[in-house]
Amino acid sequence: MSEIIISICEDNQQDADQLIRYLNQAGTDLNVTVHITHYPDGVSFLNHFNSAVGIVFLDVNLPDMSGGDIAAEIRRRDPQVYLVFISQYTETISIGYEFEAKNYLLKPFHYHSICAELQRYIRIENTMPKPYFLLGHKDAVQKVYYSKLYYIEKQNRKLVFHYDGQTFAHTGNLSDYEQLLPQPMFYRSCNSHIVNLQFVSTLIPDINRYSIKLVTGEIIPLSRDRKKDFLHQLQNLGDKL
């Protein structure tokens, strides 16, 4: 890991400046580049929050929104982001458990605590397999969770991602994603489709070929010469679940 994207939601500028200073120093000491953005209120933070963020430092006591409301929205958008609550009051520590915060830091901050938090994040990111990949589209970066990606199809010169009940287009090669996506969860059913086997409902016979029906009702083409391998991969996935 060489870069960490960090968002700070803190209304006290002095506290924010201290946290930014310690994070930059910790990045230097740990040999990682930190990209830090500070927001003074909950509304501006949520308006700019995107799932490329690795760490969020969230003040529990903000003038415009409660820390709980902001944390609930963060978790709705990104269940996995590394969330750290910050406050000067120990009485509010319990709120962190409800939203699966990784830690709770009290003000004023101490450098060793900030550095230790960054070390912990790096250790988790380096040792735990990521359940997502990053994809840039519409001038933003999004975490695409494997478990919510139904399938990818090639349409002309674009790739269309069918993801969590929505679709979005992106440039790229299907073969690149065939290498990126974990096996045996994903399978290239034909030249134009990669399908998430967790969403397969049944195999539909046709005159010249088979088709794959998903639990969503959508039909995915399956090359005739890939039927045997497809069923083998489907069995492998079932054995691992």
Side-chain angles (χ1 to χ4, degrees), residues 103-119:
N103 206 350
Y104 196 104
L105 298 178
L106 290 173
K107 306 175 190 178
F109 303 114
H110 299 282
Y111 172 72
H112 66 85
S113 298
I114 301 303
C115 188
E117 205 61 46
L118 217 57
Q119 283 181 304

mmCIF file of all heavy atoms in Angstrom, residues 103-119:
data_model
loop_
_atom_site.group_PDB
_atom_site.id
_atom_site.type_symbol
_atom_site.label_atom_id
_atom_site.label_comp_id
_atom_site.label_asym_id
_atom_site.label_seq_id
_atom_site.Cartn_x
_atom_site.Cartn_y
_atom_site.Cartn_z
ATOM 1 N N ASN A 103 -12.417 2.552 15.936
ATOM 2 C CA ASN A 103 -11.827 3.096 17.147
ATOM 3 C C ASN A 103 -12.547 4.389 17.520
ATOM 4 O O ASN A 103 -13.378 4.897 16.765
ATOM 5 C CB ASN A 103 -10.332 3.362 16.966
ATOM 6 C CG ASN A 103 -9.574 3.301 18.282
ATOM 7 O OD1 ASN A 103 -10.171 3.246 19.356
ATOM 8 N ND2 ASN A 103 -8.255 3.313 18.196
ATOM 9 N N TYR A 104 -12.188 4.902 18.698
ATOM 10 C CA TYR A 104 -12.761 6.142 19.218
ATOM 11 C C TYR A 104 -11.619 6.940 19.825
ATOM 12 O O TYR A 104 -11.000 6.498 20.794
ATOM 13 C CB TYR A 104 -13.827 5.821 20.268
ATOM 14 C CG TYR A 104 -14.740 6.970 20.601
ATOM 15 C CD1 TYR A 104 -16.041 7.021 20.114
ATOM 16 C CD2 TYR A 104 -14.294 8.020 21.406
ATOM 17 C CE1 TYR A 104 -16.882 8.077 20.423
ATOM 18 C CE2 TYR A 104 -15.121 9.084 21.713
ATOM 19 C CZ TYR A 104 -16.419 9.100 21.219
ATOM 20 O OH TYR A 104 -17.253 10.156 21.514
ATOM 21 N N LEU A 105 -11.315 8.088 19.237
ATOM 22 C CA LEU A 105 -10.187 8.895 19.706
ATOM 23 C C LEU A 105 -10.686 10.138 20.418
ATOM 24 O O LEU A 105 -11.581 10.835 19.936
ATOM 25 C CB LEU A 105 -9.307 9.303 18.530
ATOM 26 C CG LEU A 105 -8.648 8.160 17.741
ATOM 27 C CD1 LEU A 105 -7.839 8.724 16.581
ATOM 28 C CD2 LEU A 105 -7.766 7.313 18.649
ATOM 29 N N LEU A 106 -10.068 10.409 21.558
ATOM 30 C CA LEU A 106 -10.437 11.583 22.340
ATOM 31 C C LEU A 106 -9.530 12.763 22.003
ATOM 32 O O LEU A 106 -8.348 12.603 21.717
ATOM 33 C CB LEU A 106 -10.345 11.271 23.839
ATOM 34 C CG LEU A 106 -11.402 10.314 24.402
ATOM 35 C CD1 LEU A 106 -11.075 9.975 25.852
ATOM 36 C CD2 LEU A 106 -12.799 10.924 24.299
ATOM 37 N N LYS A 107 -10.102 13.959 22.041
ATOM 38 C CA LYS A 107 -9.337 15.195 21.871
ATOM 39 C C LYS A 107 -8.822 15.649 23.244
ATOM 40 O O LYS A 107 -9.478 15.382 24.256
ATOM 41 C CB LYS A 107 -10.226 16.288 21.275
ATOM 42 C CG LYS A 107 -10.927 15.902 19.984
ATOM 43 C CD LYS A 107 -11.873 17.032 19.578
ATOM 44 C CE LYS A 107 -12.779 16.639 18.455
ATOM 45 N NZ LYS A 107 -13.727 17.721 18.096
ATOM 46 N N PRO A 108 -7.703 16.350 23.282
ATOM 47 C CA PRO A 108 -6.821 16.658 22.158
ATOM 48 C C PRO A 108 -6.085 15.408 21.673
ATOM 49 O O PRO A 108 -5.846 14.471 22.442
ATOM 50 C CB PRO A 108 -5.847 17.679 22.745
ATOM 51 C CG PRO A 108 -5.810 17.342 24.208
ATOM 52 C CD PRO A 108 -7.201 16.881 24.552
ATOM 53 N N PHE A 109 -5.738 15.399 20.397
ATOM 54 C CA PHE A 109 -5.103 14.232 19.797
ATOM 55 C C PHE A 109 -3.642 14.124 20.231
ATOM 56 O O PHE A 109 -3.003 15.111 20.593
ATOM 57 C CB PHE A 109 -5.169 14.337 18.268
ATOM 58 C CG PHE A 109 -6.562 14.474 17.732
ATOM 59 C CD1 PHE A 109 -6.957 15.640 17.100
ATOM 60 C CD2 PHE A 109 -7.477 13.450 17.876
ATOM 61 C CE1 PHE A 109 -8.247 15.773 16.601
ATOM 62 C CE2 PHE A 109 -8.764 13.578 17.383
ATOM 63 C CZ PHE A 109 -9.150 14.739 16.745
ATOM 64 N N HIS A 110 -3.145 12.897 20.169
ATOM 65 C CA HIS A 110 -1.736 12.631 20.441
ATOM 66 C C HIS A 110 -1.146 11.912 19.230
ATOM 67 O O HIS A 110 -1.786 11.016 18.663
ATOM 68 C CB HIS A 110 -1.577 11.773 21.696
ATOM 69 C CG HIS A 110 -2.125 12.420 22.931
ATOM 70 N ND1 HIS A 110 -1.453 13.405 23.615
ATOM 71 C CD2 HIS A 110 -3.303 12.242 23.591
ATOM 72 C CE1 HIS A 110 -2.185 13.801 24.658
ATOM 73 N NE2 HIS A 110 -3.312 13.110 24.655
ATOM 74 N N TYR A 111 0.033 12.319 18.868
ATOM 75 C CA TYR A 111 0.622 11.785 17.631
ATOM 76 C C TYR A 111 0.705 10.262 17.646
ATOM 77 O O TYR A 111 0.384 9.612 16.640
ATOM 78 C CB TYR A 111 2.014 12.364 17.382
ATOM 79 C CG TYR A 111 2.698 11.682 16.222
ATOM 80 C CD1 TYR A 111 2.284 11.917 14.917
ATOM 81 C CD2 TYR A 111 3.725 10.760 16.436
ATOM 82 C CE1 TYR A 111 2.873 11.264 13.844
ATOM 83 C CE2 TYR A 111 4.321 10.098 15.374
ATOM 84 C CZ TYR A 111 3.888 10.356 14.079
ATOM 85 O OH TYR A 111 4.466 9.695 13.031
ATOM 86 N N HIS A 112 1.127 9.678 18.748
ATOM 87 C CA HIS A 112 1.317 8.222 18.768
ATOM 88 C C HIS A 112 0.002 7.482 18.520
ATOM 89 O O HIS A 112 -0.022 6.408 17.909
ATOM 90 C CB HIS A 112 1.957 7.771 20.084
ATOM 91 C CG HIS A 112 1.094 7.979 21.289
ATOM 92 N ND1 HIS A 112 0.144 7.070 21.702
ATOM 93 C CD2 HIS A 112 1.031 9.011 22.167
ATOM 94 C CE1 HIS A 112 -0.458 7.529 22.779
ATOM 95 N NE2 HIS A 112 0.051 8.702 23.093
ATOM 96 N N SER A 113 -1.123 8.060 18.972
ATOM 97 C CA SER A 113 -2.421 7.430 18.740
ATOM 98 C C SER A 113 -2.821 7.510 17.268
ATOM 99 O O SER A 113 -3.355 6.551 16.698
ATOM 100 C CB SER A 113 -3.505 8.103 19.584
ATOM 101 O OG SER A 113 -3.232 7.963 20.958
ATOM 102 N N ILE A 114 -2.554 8.641 16.635
ATOM 103 C CA ILE A 114 -2.883 8.813 15.220
ATOM 104 C C ILE A 114 -2.012 7.899 14.366
ATOM 105 O O ILE A 114 -2.490 7.241 13.426
ATOM 106 C CB ILE A 114 -2.696 10.281 14.792
ATOM 107 C CG1 ILE A 114 -3.587 11.201 15.647
ATOM 108 C CG2 ILE A 114 -2.999 10.449 13.325
ATOM 109 C CD1 ILE A 114 -5.059 10.875 15.602
ATOM 110 N N CYS A 115 -0.738 7.841 14.683
ATOM 111 C CA CYS A 115 0.174 6.976 13.936
ATOM 112 C C CYS A 115 -0.220 5.507 14.096
ATOM 113 O O CYS A 115 -0.205 4.735 13.135
ATOM 114 C CB CYS A 115 1.609 7.197 14.402
ATOM 115 S SG CYS A 115 2.845 6.344 13.396
ATOM 116 N N ALA A 116 -0.598 5.120 15.314
ATOM 117 C CA ALA A 116 -1.017 3.743 15.564
ATOM 118 C C ALA A 116 -2.280 3.403 14.781
ATOM 119 O O ALA A 116 -2.444 2.267 14.301
ATOM 120 C CB ALA A 116 -1.248 3.528 17.057
ATOM 121 N N GLU A 117 -3.183 4.374 14.635
ATOM 122 C CA GLU A 117 -4.415 4.150 13.876
ATOM 123 C C GLU A 117 -4.104 3.916 12.403
ATOM 124 O O GLU A 117 -4.687 3.045 11.758
ATOM 125 C CB GLU A 117 -5.351 5.353 14.035
ATOM 126 C CG GLU A 117 -6.811 5.026 13.834
ATOM 127 C CD GLU A 117 -7.316 4.000 14.846
ATOM 128 O OE1 GLU A 117 -7.039 4.133 16.044
ATOM 129 O OE2 GLU A 117 -7.980 3.041 14.395
ATOM 130 N N LEU A 118 -3.180 4.702 11.875
ATOM 131 C CA LEU A 118 -2.780 4.535 10.485
ATOM 132 C C LEU A 118 -2.094 3.184 10.284
ATOM 133 O O LEU A 118 -2.329 2.491 9.276
ATOM 134 C CB LEU A 118 -1.832 5.674 10.089
ATOM 135 C CG LEU A 118 -1.954 6.228 8.667
ATOM 136 C CD1 LEU A 118 -3.370 6.721 8.391
ATOM 137 C CD2 LEU A 118 -0.958 7.358 8.452
ATOM 138 N N GLN A 119 -1.264 2.783 11.235
ATOM 139 C CA GLN A 119 -0.602 1.478 11.160
ATOM 140 C C GLN A 119 -1.619 0.339 11.173
ATOM 141 O O GLN A 119 -1.489 -0.640 10.435
ATOM 142 C CB GLN A 119 0.364 1.314 12.328
ATOM 143 C CG GLN A 119 1.667 2.067 12.183
ATOM 144 C CD GLN A 119 2.581 1.829 13.362
ATOM 145 O OE1 GLN A 119 2.202 2.069 14.517
ATOM 146 N NE2 GLN A 119 3.788 1.376 13.101
#
